[in-house]
Amino acid sequence: MDLTVLTMRILQISAVVCAFISLLLLLIALGSDYWLANALNHTGLWKYCVNTGAINICSLHGMDVRGFFHATRAFMFFGMIAGAVSCIILCGTFFSLQFGSISKAKSAAIASIVAAGCVLIAMAIFTGQIGGNASYGWSFGLAWASFPLFLITGGLAFPLDTAGSA
């Protein structure tokens, strides 16, 4: 096996793994309710929980929340869709099916960068509205971690186009 072919195959596998991990982190962050947490309560984008000692009482936010929650939810959801598209297309680069002149690797890279941009906007909105004095939880950290991973995925996917493996 040629060294450049081996290098491109490793790059291709790395891009798929990175896309999958970033999408997984984003999904966990989007669905969990530890965006803000302290000893007495924790909240996420979808529900709010209060610890009353022996029992945890949770209630759904629903649509009756401040506007920045809606904006954060929307951009996280758009980022999730773009990340899923990127992951699916990158998996498709292992097969030699070609759809016209569309480059699968370049499309996956662009989708990853779009996902990173959506996550960045969502996190900036949430962080800007909550402020710096809040007790951020692990879900918030996972959401921020998905942002650079989507950028890395895009960076790993772009060179795949030049190798002709798309």
Side-chain angles (χ1 to χ4, degrees):
M1 185 178 251
D2 188 16
L3 185 60
T4 55
V5 172
L6 180 64
T7 303
M8 285 298 131
R9 189 59 70 177
I10 291 171
L11 189 64
Q12 189 177 22
I13 292 169
S14 300
V16 170
V17 168
C18 193
F20 179 75
I21 291 171
S22 55
L23 181 61
L24 184 65
L25 291 180
L26 183 63
L27 289 172
I28 292 170
L30 191 57
S32 58
D33 56 343
Y34 282 87
W35 281 62
L36 299 171
N38 59 33
L40 299 177
N41 58 39
H42 59 274
T43 189
L45 298 177
W46 308 103
K47 69 180 181 178
Y48 180 83
C49 298
V50 177
N51 187 0
T52 60
I55 193 165
N56 225 5
I57 300 172
C58 295
S59 62
L60 294 175
H61 283 309
M63 297 302 285
D64 192 26
V65 290
R66 294 180 24 208
F68 77 91
F69 270 92
H70 295 298
T72 304
R73 289 174 182 173
F75 278 106
M76 291 291 281
F77 187 70
F78 292 144
M80 178 192 68
I81 291 171
V85 166
S86 171
C87 197
I88 290 167
I89 294 172
L90 279 171
C91 288
T93 61
F94 287 103
F95 307 104
S96 61
L97 299 173
Q98 186 67 29
F99 301 108
S101 63
I102 298 173
S103 166
K104 288 184 280 189
K106 193 176 287 185
S107 299
I110 291 169
S112 290
I113 292 170
V114 167
C118 288
V119 170
L120 177 64
I121 292 169
M123 297 308 294
I125 290 169
F126 189 84
T127 307
Q129 289 295 316
I130 296 298
N133 298 340
S135 274
Y136 294 109
W138 57 265
S139 300
F140 180 81
L142 288 181
W144 267 119
S146 71
F147 163 68
L149 284 174
F150 276 126
L151 287 179
I152 292 169
T153 301
L156 290 173
F158 262 120
L160 293 175
D161 184 44
T162 59
S165 64

